[in-house]
Amino acid sequence: MSYHIYKTKGIVIDEHERSEANKALYLLTHEFGLVLATAQSVRALKSKLRYALQVFSYSDIDLVKGKSGWRVVNAHYKENFLNRLSGEEAYEKRCTVGRITGLVRRLVKGEEQNEKLFIEVVNILSFIRDTELSEKKLFSAEVIAVMRILNLLGYWGEHEELASLLKEEGLERYDLDEVFALKPLAIREINKSLRETQL
């Protein structure tokens, strides 16, 4: 029996080991939203897919859908958002990216294309990787990222003082020191939105 191959760009946002060398991967994809897919033998040293399917890797991914769900049949590595980082900065950025992608996994339910969300997450992770950020500025970038993700998923309410943070694409357009001054208000509104999701 032959299966149709679905091609998409995807980010590996989480993984779980399956059997001796397999993985279950949570993929945020351009075409299908959040997908849980199995990758066979990907943990083996000889696997050609190892680097393309590491956590925080961004790849062109080929998927098939069978009775047991999605399966990765091929992947072409484009980049990993964090593997070029080192030292203390790498640790802080990994923690930040982990929280952001964890939020995406928590809030995105079902397989439904959300091109704007996919592009936003790619832009956010690229900015965090490529920009020298103090602890304060990294926190501000995370705040904006969370607000924008909540907004794109329909979980953000109206708040005039924070509305400007949802309009401009790309985090590089914002003065992150000014954003930090809005920390108490932003955190309160984020927590309110998260409670209302009931997720």
Side-chain angles (χ1 to χ4, degrees):
M1 179 185 289
S2 62
Y3 292 94
H4 178 75
I5 296 177
Y6 297 88
K7 297 181 178 291
T8 186
K9 296 181 178 66
I11 306 166
V12 181
I13 64 172
D14 200 2
E15 66 180 14
H16 297 287
E17 295 180 359
R18 290 273 179 89
S19 69
E20 186 176 340
N22 301 343
K23 282 184 182 180
L25 303 170
Y26 286 91
L27 307 170
L28 181 65
T29 70
H30 181 271
E31 304 295 333
F32 311 111
L34 186 63
V35 168
L36 176 61
T38 301
Q40 302 290 329
S41 302
V42 72
R43 292 165 50 216
L45 292 176
K46 63 182 180 180
S47 173
K48 296 178 181 179
L49 305 182
R50 285 180 69 204
Y51 296 108
L53 298 176
Q54 289 180 337
V55 174
F56 305 138
S57 285
Y58 177 32
S59 302
D60 292 317
I61 300 173
D62 294 348
L63 298 161
V64 297
K65 193 168 189 179
K67 292 181 180 179
S68 59
W70 291 99
R71 183 165 54 90
V72 178
V73 293
N74 203 2
H76 298 281
Y77 176 81
K78 296 166 76 71
E79 61 181 320
N80 186 292
F81 288 107
L82 294 182
N83 67 359
R84 294 185 310 191
L85 302 174
S86 61
E88 187 174 339
E89 179 189 31
Y91 174 78
E92 296 298 335
K93 287 187 173 185
R94 282 182 184 276
C95 290
T96 300
V97 168
R99 287 191 295 271
I100 291 169
T101 55
L103 179 69
V104 171
R105 183 184 158 192
R106 171 183 166 188
L107 296 182
V108 176
K109 299 299 178 185
E111 297 166 11
E112 184 176 334
Q113 184 181 30
N114 189 332
E115 182 179 2
K116 288 184 178 179
L117 176 67
F118 181 82
I119 292 170
E120 187 70 51
V121 172
V122 170
N123 288 340
I124 288 166
L125 300 190
S126 298
F127 175 82
I128 291 172
R129 178 196 61 201
D130 296 337
T131 309
E132 188 173 333
L133 297 166
S134 65
E135 184 178 344
K136 184 166 75 171
K137 289 184 177 181
L138 182 58
F139 179 85
S140 296
E142 182 177 354
V143 165
I144 298 173
V146 169
M147 289 171 52
R148 294 178 72 85
I149 289 167
L150 285 166
N151 186 57
L152 286 168
L153 292 173
Y155 294 126
W156 188 256
E158 295 292 331
H159 200 290
E160 186 176 345
E161 199 169 348
L162 299 172
S164 64
L165 302 179
L166 304 175
K167 293 178 180 177
E168 295 289 341
E169 290 186 6
L171 300 185
E172 67 278 357
R173 297 174 182 269
Y174 296 104
D175 184 329
L176 296 178
D177 288 322
E178 287 185 6
V179 174
F180 191 80
L182 297 170
K183 172 183 173 181
L185 174 61
I187 291 177
R188 186 172 70 242
E189 293 301 312
I190 287 170
N191 288 335
K192 177 183 175 183
S193 295
L194 289 173
R195 283 194 303 271
E196 290 176 354
T197 69
Q198 299 182 343
L199 296 174

